[in-house]
Amino acid sequence: VVKADMNASDGMVHEIDWVIIPDDNDFKTTVVELAAMGNSDLRTLATLLKAANLTAALSDASTKMAVLAPSNEAFATSLDAATTQKLLLPENIKILQSILTYHVIPGDSTFENNQSLPTLNSGENLTIQLVNGTREVWVGGVNAANFSGTTVNTSSGNAGVYFINRVLVPPNVDLNS
């Protein structure tokens, strides 16, 4: 400490003459931590993960996964406000879990062309198509969402997080019921 106890408007400051580097474990961010704190574009996802009681399942830093993460805008575009509010009701937790786990691919994924990938939604797969440098997510023969190769860097944590432009709804879920 070069100079201690300097008063500031919001606290106390100590001047130091070196860089403090946190322990390596401090850089390991899980999907849930990223959604909750690290990126404001994932706040809706964070809220829904919490409501669906999925935070523990996606917080294990030793479990590798890829998450196709709808941004706030994707949620607003794909689901009207009434549907989102309906999904937040306790009696709809299974439907919400089904939708959110459909966005999670276990293991490390390379996203190759015409690749069918399992999701954490048991028995439901997604197909990835590469079209002019864009990755398309196909559900039941229909292009359901697009994403680029850009990820939110969580390589030191438990997942690759890929922003997608729509919410994926599994074929076995009817949002109108």
Side-chain angles (χ1 to χ4, degrees):
V1 176
V2 174
K3 187 173 181 183
D5 301 330
M6 295 182 289
N7 288 321
S9 62
D10 59 348
M12 186 72 63
V13 177
H14 304 289
E15 182 181 342
I16 59 175
D17 59 356
W18 72 90
V19 176
I20 299 173
I21 299 175
D23 183 350
D24 183 46
N25 289 331
D26 291 342
F27 291 110
K28 293 187 177 174
T29 304
T30 66
V31 172
V32 175
E33 291 167 341
L34 179 71
M37 302 175 306
N39 194 305
S40 61
D41 284 336
L42 297 175
R43 289 210 175 115
T44 303
L45 178 61
T47 299
L48 294 174
L49 287 171
K50 185 175 179 183
N53 295 324
L54 291 174
T55 55
L58 299 179
S59 292
D60 181 358
S62 67
T63 303
K64 297 294 183 191
M65 63 188 81
V67 177
L68 302 177
S71 64
N72 297 335
E73 183 179 346
F75 275 105
T77 302
S78 302
L79 304 175
D80 61 47
T83 300
T84 302
Q85 289 304 311
K86 182 175 148 184
L87 289 171
L88 288 169
L89 297 173
E91 61 267 24
N92 294 323
I93 192 169
K94 294 285 186 203
I95 295 169
L96 182 57
Q97 288 172 337
S98 180
I99 292 169
L100 295 175
T101 57
Y102 196 50
H103 291 79
V104 182
I105 300 164
D108 290 324
S109 296
T110 57
F111 301 119
E112 296 174 13
N113 193 32
N114 204 26
Q115 182 181 20
S116 180
L117 297 167
T119 68
L120 289 186
N121 182 337
S122 299
E124 297 293 339
N125 288 1
L126 300 172
T127 301
I128 305 297
Q129 298 285 334
L130 302 178
V131 179
N132 298 323
T134 298
R135 290 178 173 96
E136 297 178 347
V137 183
W138 288 68
V139 177
V142 177
N143 179 359
N146 297 323
F147 65 102
S148 68
T150 305
T151 66
V152 177
N153 184 7
T154 60
S155 59
S156 64
N158 69 332
V161 179
Y162 300 82
F163 283 99
I164 60 174
N165 64 344
R166 303 278 303 160
V167 174
L168 305 173
V169 179
N172 63 348
V173 170
D174 180 9
L175 292 176
N176 297 317
S177 61

